Amino acid sequence: MSAPPPVTIVGAGPAGLAAARAAASAGARVRLIDAEPSPGGQYLRGDALAGPHGGAAGQGAHVPDGAEHISDTEVWALEPLPGGGARLHLRSGPADGSGGARTADAPVLVLATGAHDRVLPFPGWDLPGVVTAGAAQALAKSQRTAIGRTAVVAGTGPFLLPVTRSLIGAGARVAAVLEANAPVSGWLRCAGGAAAGFGKFGELVGHTAVLARRRVPYRTRTAVIAAHGDGVLEAVTTVRLDPGWRPLPGTERTIAADALCLGFGFTPRLELAVAAGCATTGGFVRVDAAQATSAPGVFAAGEPTGIGGAALAAAEGEVAGTAAARACGHPVVAPLGALRRVRAGRRFAAALAAAHPLRPGWTRWPRDDTPVCRCEEVTLSDLHAAARSASGGRAFRLASRAGLGLCQGRVCGRNTAELIGLTDDDAQRFDRRPIAVPVRLGDLADGT
Amino acid sequence: MTGHPDAVVVGAGIVGAACAEALGRAGLRVTVVERGAPAGATTASGEGNVLVSDKEPGPELELARSSLRRWPDVLRGAAAVAPDAPDPEWDPKGGLVAALDGGAEEPLTAFAAAQRAAGVDARAIGGDEARDLEPGLSPEAGAAVLYPQDAQLQPVAAATALLAAVRARGGRVRHGTAALGLVRGASGAVAGLRTDRGTIPCGAVVNACGPWSGDFSRLAGAPVDVRPRRGMVLVTAPLPPGTVRRKVYDADYVGAVGAGEADLRTSTVVESTHAGTVLIGSSRQRVGFDDTVRVEVLRAIARKAAALFPALARVPVMRAYGGFRPYTPDHLPVIGEDPRVPGLWHATGHEGAGVGLAAGTGHLLAALVTGAPADTDPHPFRVLRGEEDGRE
Ligand SMILES: Cc1cc2nc3c(=O)[nH]c(=O)nc-3n(C[C@H](O)[C@H](O)[C@H](O)COP(=O)(O)OP(=O)(O)OC[C@H]3O[C@@H](n4cnc5c(N)ncnc54)[C@H](O)[C@@H]3O)c2cc1C
Ligand SMILES: Cc1cc2nc3c(=O)[nH]c(=O)nc-3n(C[C@H](O)[C@H](O)[C@H](O)COP(=O)(O)OP(=O)(O)OC[C@H]3O[C@@H](n4cnc5c(N)ncnc54)[C@H](O)[C@@H]3O)c2cc1C
């Protein structure tokens, strides 16, 4: 009998790390591939406070002993293998350097590729100084540097609070936290259902306490609808919103700030799952109770399957890692605790999604000359012109050029779809990226 | 609009759009039926080359020359009636074909000489002269042929502009409508088109379904053999203007276009777009409608492009996309009326040249439908060929 195949995991965030630990403890060989130099993903990476055994994700950024951690390495393409699983094409080092291209066959694969935080367009959102909450958070955590001296945090969802706390921790003054929806306490109060028994509750109460102590103004139904500055951010215009997120005239205020951190929820990173042939529903990878996708040998965990925070990602990872070990032929014990946490986490995630949806009024924030796709400098009026001439799909994308630049629609894809009212099928085209991350032509040519 | 259309074109790719535009210009009332979005299928994958350089003397070259003559006028005419349509970016930028090894020089020069005899402007130049024209070209290139007539357009914009002209002349374009089959009169001739949104009475139906033309022809009761041949293209990050000036080809395509094997073939075409990105095409492979990513295909394209333009090796490839070229067993388009079903016309099977050949195809089809004189011989493109009349 030949040796069982390893469990290969892409993504070393809370989900991928938990999968690695579960698979390793079931006796599987584990290969963990991640684009970053150190493990942890968006939530745990470079966070001294999370420590090896701390944080919401239980065991922090601990890679299990004996697991092969292939760091600093991107999976730039994925091809399904005939017997199940996939062949991964890897490259390491800087995108413009010569990156030792190689492949790895993964008959049993866990995709734990996380998500990008989403940003909505408005006049000035492309000014230097305007960043995603995730980027601000990463900088604050890893370099202990704040993105600016005076920051405004705006968007929707509970993760605006930890960013704010990190910014304060890194020495910035946070002039305001603007939540576009109704109070967070909406779901914090929703006892019994969502937050009950879930670690997140205590954690967020901790954040609100810090905010209160620092007297950081926290405004709900408020958004930034313009950013100003001569070449770099100097001030933002805020406005009160109606429940549908339409700006209420006459409520504009100007706040001086040199940093604006935006977080309007998350867009899952689906390109590898799509290339693997995994079915999606509502913009997320569809999984069964064992985190198995529709593609044989391929499991998914964490944000590609739904957005619910680090603890849910870790619980899904544990289930996926266990199921993947079993698929490799190892006897496993059903991860009952993790399965229970997944169920509770999904209830919490559903409550989060209900409390912090993106409301259609945001489509009124950009002006005709506001760039929607930054890479290709496509403005709102360009989009409308393209939509008039090409009624959807690839033709629309080619006519408008939205999503054809370096980010490949990661930033603008869903925004474009909602601004133009594309069908779901057409919107999903933005998730199809045969080349998941840019790769040098020479590296492509050299590989075997 | 009242009354029924005279002709219904099925498929709003570049070929269907060109046929509808030509029929409308000839005075027919035209409806175009498209199951997806106009110009959203194969046409959205086309690189937009309008070429004579890659064609050996014969019927396809004649159709290509007719098309090349017509494209500028057709686009001007469409813009005159539908000025708001997007700019098709017609650009007669010329092509340069380079022989990268000694063995390729002789076939290339012979090929060009035959094309010259058939009326193509094909100028043999040396490697150094080629590098003066394209400074990034490989030092290995020993001989080259310059084709000043080769041009480029943006296929989606061109199809969109042609469809806008159809509408401006009173025709209709119904997208999101799938053709399901024909309605035939007592004589057996076409009396209408059945769609998933009802029947459209008409006397003529044009099958311009691209790689799905075989499927529609079976639904119409008159099968033609058109199959998909997959192709992939690489797109680089934007590069400084002037990095690649013309369309630059590796002379090795001289063998590839006509071949029908299932195995992978690549013929290298490198060119820059208005957006500054460089398109690197393309592969040919018979894998049905399977659209899974095949990295060996991307590698093969990349390897050859780096051989042609060594500096491209440092450039990041941003994306890859593909489509299915509609091909026939003898690699010639099918254009004409189906003798088995009067009133059923085909305009399909253009394989890797449908964008370039569309203007000529529209002209030829409209001429055949209306009985007007055509500038190309339709016989080689007739519907029933092969065993029926002893052709191989
Ligand atoms: C600003 C901010 C604050 C947050 N605060 C909290 C909080 O307080 N509490 C909480 O519970 N959650 C918080 N979250 C959410 C939390 O970060 C996520 O829920 C969690 O990180 C999801 O884990 P994951 O494993 O699914 O994905 P990630 O942590 O995103 O990990 C995915 C990993 O996969 C890698 N990867 C992706 N694609 C490839 C590829 N092609 N090749 C190689 N590697 C690849 C990525 O580089 C990354 O390392 C916050 C998020 C943000 C943006
Ligand atoms: C990678 C690649 C590069 C290429 N580069 C070039 C190039 O540089 N130059 C060039 O000249 N050519 C090129 N081609 C070839 C060119 O793209 C095709 O020859 C051309 O687009 C075919 O056009 P079409 O209108 O026949 O097909 P399509 O564009 O596929 O149009 C057919 C339409 O019919 C519709 N349809 C099908 N069935 C039905 C039905 N039952 N009811 C209603 N609608 C239906 C489809 O939805 C589709 O929109 C390339 C092709 C590929 C794949």
Side-chain angles (χ1 to χ4, degrees):
Chain A
M1 228 184 80
S2 60
V7 170
T8 305
I9 301 164
V10 183
L17 286 166
R21 286 189 294 262
S25 66
R29 274 187 302 140
V30 171
R31 240 178 349 188
L32 181 60
I33 302 168
D34 191 80
E36 300 293 330
S38 58
Q42 170 65 39
Y43 181 63
L44 302 166
R45 182 164 29 235
D47 191 351
L49 295 176
H53 298 289
Q59 298 196 38
H62 172 62
V63 178
D65 294 341
E68 183 189 0
H69 178 207
I70 306 175
S71 62
D72 237 333
T73 298
E74 287 173 309
V75 179
W76 64 264
L78 177 156
E79 296 172 280
L81 286 175
R87 169 167 298 168
L88 308 177
H89 294 266
L90 313 178
R91 60 164 302 283
S92 308
D96 55 352
S98 167
R102 59 192 190 283
T103 62
D105 281 358
V108 176
L109 175 65
V110 179
L111 294 175
T113 48
H116 303 278
D117 31 9
R118 183 164 167 190
V119 167
L120 300 177
F122 51 78
W125 75 293
D126 53 336
L127 271 176
V130 183
V131 296
T132 65
Q137 171 94 322
L139 189 69
K141 275 187 178 175
S142 62
Q143 321 272 319
R144 301 249 159 252
T145 314
I147 190 91
R149 293 157 58 91
T150 307
V152 169
V153 177
T156 188
F159 302 139
L160 299 180
L161 302 178
V163 195
T164 305
R165 191 175 182 175
S166 301
L167 286 168
I168 293 171
R173 189 177 81 82
V174 176
V177 177
L178 310 177
E179 160 65 57
N181 277 300
V184 193
S185 54
W187 57 263
L188 281 180
R189 266 195 242 103
C190 153
F198 206 65
K200 177 71 51 36
F201 184 79
E203 196 190 337
L204 286 168
V205 170
H207 293 312
T208 19
V210 171
L211 251 66
R213 245 193 341 270
R214 298 284 180 138
R215 297 213 174 73
V216 176
Y218 178 84
R219 299 207 186 88
T220 57
R221 290 239 171 100
T222 309
V224 171
I225 53 149
H228 318 275
D230 187 6
V232 336
L233 183 70
E234 292 161 11
V236 301
T237 300
T238 70
V239 73
R240 296 268 299 153
L241 302 174
D242 77 2
W245 287 19
R246 277 180 305 244
L248 294 173
T251 62
E252 293 84 358
R253 285 187 41 195
T254 303
I255 303 179
D258 60 356
L260 172 60
C261 309
L262 297 171
F264 285 93
F266 298 85
T267 311
R269 290 178 69 159
L270 295 184
E271 51 269 1
L272 296 184
V274 169
C278 304
T280 60
T281 323
F284 294 102
V285 178
R286 199 160 72 208
V287 288
D288 67 11
Q291 302 294 133
T293 71
S294 67
V298 182
F299 299 81
E303 293 183 316
T305 73
I307 306 299
L312 173 59
E316 287 191 351
E318 186 177 339
V319 174
T322 308
R326 189 180 54 194
C328 294
H330 300 280
V332 300
V333 182
L336 295 177
L339 286 164
R340 203 177 51 245
R341 276 178 282 127
V342 168
R343 281 195 302 275
R346 294 221 174 116
R347 276 202 303 278
F348 170 78
L352 262 190
H356 298 278
L358 299 198
R359 315 253 182 204
W362 76 261
T363 56
R364 296 174 180 226
W365 303 353
R367 281 194 319 241
D368 278 355
D369 61 351
T370 303
V372 175
C373 166
R374 287 192 291 202
C375 306
E376 292 285 315
E377 294 171 13
V378 182
T379 64
L380 181 61
S381 60
D382 295 337
L383 282 185
H384 284 302
R388 274 193 300 277
S389 67
S391 43
R394 239 147 76 172
F396 166 76
R397 213 171 144 184
L398 287 168
S400 69
R401 301 205 55 79
L404 292 182
L406 260 184
C407 90
Q408 286 295 291
R410 286 184 179 86
V411 177
C412 64
R414 297 210 175 183
N415 293 345
T416 299
E418 286 172 29
L419 284 166
I420 296 304
L422 294 181
T423 63
D424 286 354
D425 269 5
D426 285 342
Q428 276 166 24
R429 284 174 195 278
F430 286 105
D431 293 326
R432 223 189 123 80
R433 298 182 188 98
I435 294 187
V437 292
V439 53
R440 280 180 359 131
L441 186 95
D443 286 345
L444 243 181
D446 288 346
T448 41
Chain B
M1 206 181 89
T2 57
H4 303 307
D6 301 311
V8 178
V9 176
V10 185
I14 190 85
V15 172
C19 289
E21 190 278 336
L23 290 168
R25 190 154 32 89
L28 273 69
R29 282 177 303 177
V30 191
T31 292
V32 181
V33 164
E34 164 60 52
R35 67 178 171 196
T42 323
T43 296
S45 314
E47 288 162 274
N49 296 315
V50 179
L51 307 185
V52 287
S53 53
D54 64 343
K55 296 179 180 67
E56 62 185 347
E60 198 188 357
L61 178 61
E62 289 317 303
L63 188 60
R65 293 179 64 209
S66 157
S67 221
L68 189 60
R69 275 195 303 276
R70 291 177 181 285
W71 261 125
D73 285 343
V74 167
L75 294 174
R76 255 194 308 275
V81 292
D84 293 338
D87 174 11
E89 297 173 12
W90 175 258
D91 186 356
K93 54 159 62 169
L96 183 81
V97 181
L100 283 189
D101 62 76
E105 287 179 23
E106 213 281 312
L108 174 63
T109 13
F111 190 69
Q115 289 174 313
R116 254 192 317 275
V120 174
D121 187 356
R123 305 177 191 170
I125 58 177
D128 290 334
E129 201 181 332
R131 274 178 293 276
D132 285 344
L133 297 172
E134 292 291 342
L137 190 64
S138 164
E140 304 291 312
V145 177
L146 179 67
Y147 292 91
Q149 292 167 309
D150 278 1
Q152 165 177 311
L153 51 71
Q154 213 279 62
V156 170
T160 306
L162 295 178
L163 294 169
V166 168
R167 280 193 218 96
R169 296 196 182 103
R172 288 189 66 185
V173 180
R174 297 174 54 170
H175 60 85
T177 306
L180 303 177
L182 301 177
V183 180
R184 309 203 15 204
S187 67
V190 169
L193 179 75
R194 281 193 299 113
T195 78
D196 60 353
R197 299 205 182 173
T199 295
I200 309 172
C202 62
V205 166
V206 182
N207 172 12
C209 293
W212 301 276
S213 295
D215 297 339
F216 178 70
S217 70
R218 280 185 292 278
L219 294 173
V224 292
D225 192 359
V226 177
R227 300 178 218 175
R229 196 171 182 199
R230 182 155 196 220
M232 295 290 296
V233 175
L234 303 178
V235 188
T236 70
L239 300 182
T243 311
V244 179
R245 299 173 180 174
R246 288 166 193 75
K247 303 168 165 298
V248 183
Y249 312 80
D250 183 338
D252 67 354
Y253 74 84
V254 173
V257 179
E261 290 82 353
D263 47 301
L264 170 65
R265 304 212 155 220
T266 55
S267 44
T268 313
V269 188
V270 178
E271 63 179 300
S272 55
T273 66
H274 282 209
T277 53
V278 170
L279 297 187
I280 301 169
S282 60
S283 56
R284 290 162 188 270
Q285 202 178 18
R286 285 167 50 176
V287 290
F289 282 110
D290 178 356
D291 70 351
T292 35
V293 180
R294 284 168 208 245
V295 171
E296 55 156 339
V297 174
L298 306 182
R299 288 201 192 291
I301 300 171
R303 214 171 283 135
K304 288 191 164 186
L308 196 59
F309 273 93
L312 286 179
R314 287 194 305 270
V315 169
V317 176
M318 212 165 55
R319 60 195 174 92
Y321 66 87
F324 299 96
R325 299 184 183 87
Y327 83 97
T328 61
D330 63 2
H331 302 282
L332 276 185
V334 178
I335 305 163
E337 188 170 22
D338 197 307
R340 297 161 295 185
V341 181
L344 173 64
W345 300 76
H346 302 281
T348 183
H350 295 76
E351 197 160 351
V355 177
L357 298 177
T361 300
H363 161 77
L364 182 57
L365 183 95
L368 292 170
V369 169
T370 60
D375 68 359
T376 350
D377 176 9
H379 189 69
F381 307 113
R382 72 198 175 284
V383 179
L384 296 181
R385 46 191 204 232
E387 311 89 63
E388 290 86 349
D389 59 2
R391 232 189 118 103
E392 42 26 21

